Amino acid sequence: MLTAPTPVDAEAERLFRLLLNVDCEPGRTWNFEACRRIAPLTLEINRLKQEKDAVILAHSYVEPEIIYGVADFKGDSYFLSLKAREARAKTIVFAGVVFMAETAKILSPAATVLVPDRGSGCSLADSLTGDQLRELKAAYPDAAVVCYINSTAEVKAESDVCVTSGNVHHIIAHLPQRRILFVPDRLMGQNVRDELKRRGVDKEIITSDGTCIVHDVFDATAVADARARFPGLKVVAHPECTPEVAAAADYVGSTGGMMNYVRTTAAPYFLMLTECGLVGRLQVEDPEKRFIGGCRLCPYMKMNSLEKIRAALVAPHPEQIITLDEDIRHRALRSIERMFELAPKD
Ligand code: 13P
Ligand code: SF4
């Protein structure tokens, strides 16, 4: 006699259908047993979300069991900041890194904003303090101060406008000042300068010295080798890569832009010069596409886990709760709201 599947079996089946093409380690994809192991946890987290009136926002770089198991919204930094601003839930759990959770708190101060692991920093955000930015501003008093969203709340509070990788060109091109103090990503600043020059926009871009430890190590000679081995290959890069890598790529853009490019481009193979989580999302959502290795792991994004999300929802540790000085939050909000005003509307 046939028996109805248990809720755990049904959840394992749902997860397996989504994850079956995703690499869980090089050369090995998810199997049913692995989905069966996590199913009780995703069921429990989804129940806790309802009980506690919580939403989970997940950046595309976190583990696929978080993105497809429990997230309410998944995407790039810009999309998730819009979702944080719209959220009406009592609690927002941000599966990403601390600066993203801080941004959610700036935008939704009435919500309790939780970060699964307080150690999930970011080499860019951690590269520049508010004091250091104040010194730079004193050296370039006529410059417009533009901060990449990968920055602390204090750096945002000292900036005229915040940007993300998806709107940085548009926003800088439309600022009245010719001189721009762009922090904290030196490589993105160089890439923006090159791209704006190509578009006929003349800006002087001064940068601080941060880089992303995941993207700054991709290498343009490896791109040339890959093209020789895989004819027809399309190379897709994030603007946190070096200018040499950006010049060698077919497409450079935000994580959302990169996903869009792959979905809308016919090619036999893609090389994704970014965090491996993005390849996982494409393996779920565009399973026909083929990816050659080469992506890298962000150790901070990978600090997120289902277990830590459950612990935060059950009884958050004080370290998991984002708190901000109200004056800093207020000033940081101005630079983020200016981004929403100036960003292209599409
Ligand atoms: P996106 O804004 O493109 O999602 O990038 C965030 C990030 O941290 C890239 O390393
Ligand atoms: Fe920061 Fe780089 Fe990780 Fe993105 S990938 S969160 S920029 S360290």
Side-chain angles (χ1 to χ4, degrees), residues 59 61 75-78 99-100 148-150 164-165 212 215 238 240 253-256 301:
H59 190 271
Y61 287 167
D76 65 12
S77 310
Y78 187 68
F99 80 78
M100 294 180 178
Y148 185 29
I149 198 165
N150 295 38
T164 68
S165 48
C212 162
H215 291 91
H238 195 276
E240 292 165 7
S254 65
T255 53
M301 289 282 182

Side-chain angles (χ1 to χ4, degrees), residues 57 76-87 107 340:
L57 309 185
D76 65 12
S77 310
Y78 187 68
F79 174 78
L80 294 175
S81 51
L82 285 172
K83 290 297 159 198
R85 187 193 198 205
E86 287 165 11
L107 288 162
F340 291 131

Side-chain angles (χ1 to χ4, degrees), residues 71 139 183 256 280 303 329:
V183 295
M303 287 178 179
R329 189 195 71 77

